[in-house]
Amino acid sequence: MTDFFITNIQNHTSLGFLCLVAVFFYIGLITIGGGQVGITIMQQVIVDQFKLLDIEKFFNMVAISEATPGPIGINMATYIGTELYGVFGGFFTTL
């Protein structure tokens, strides 16, 4: 099932968009302890497992998310969704 998610997200298909939303739903569901814990899980899933972003770009996103006002976990989800799928990706990964 993981390969299914990875393939669709990397190919930027409409089904991949739903897979990305499902990934962030999963992250939000298991995150206990705030946004800093969510960032660690995002790194494990998005960078290490799915390889959607490289580590340097991910850490740049973390720095920008910390600098912008608001909860860091939501800022990261919005930024990653926008980076991969544009404005609609940012909107739906934030939900």
Side-chain angles (χ1 to χ4, degrees):
M1 182 150 194
T2 306
D3 293 335
F4 174 78
F5 279 95
I6 295 170
T7 303
N8 283 302
I9 294 172
Q10 287 176 340
N11 292 334
H12 295 286
T13 64
S14 57
L15 188 58
F17 174 72
L18 294 175
C19 291
L20 186 66
V21 171
V23 165
F24 278 102
F25 179 76
Y26 164 76
I27 291 170
L29 191 65
I30 66 169
T31 300
I32 297 173
Q36 297 295 337
V37 176
I39 289 175
T40 305
I41 297 171
M42 284 181 207
Q43 179 185 355
Q44 291 173 352
V45 173
I46 303 284
V47 177
D48 299 336
Q49 186 177 5
F50 286 6
K51 297 187 185 351
L52 297 175
L53 299 170
D54 61 354
I55 194 71
E56 182 179 348
K57 187 168 205 157
F58 182 80
F59 284 135
N60 287 337
M61 288 180 173
V62 170
I64 291 171
S65 294
E66 286 182 356
T68 55
I72 189 167
I74 293 173
N75 291 344
M76 280 294 295
T78 305
Y79 195 4
I80 292 171
T82 304
E83 184 70 28
L84 296 176
Y85 280 96
V87 174
F88 291 112
F91 177 76
F92 283 104
T93 55
T94 302
L95 296 177

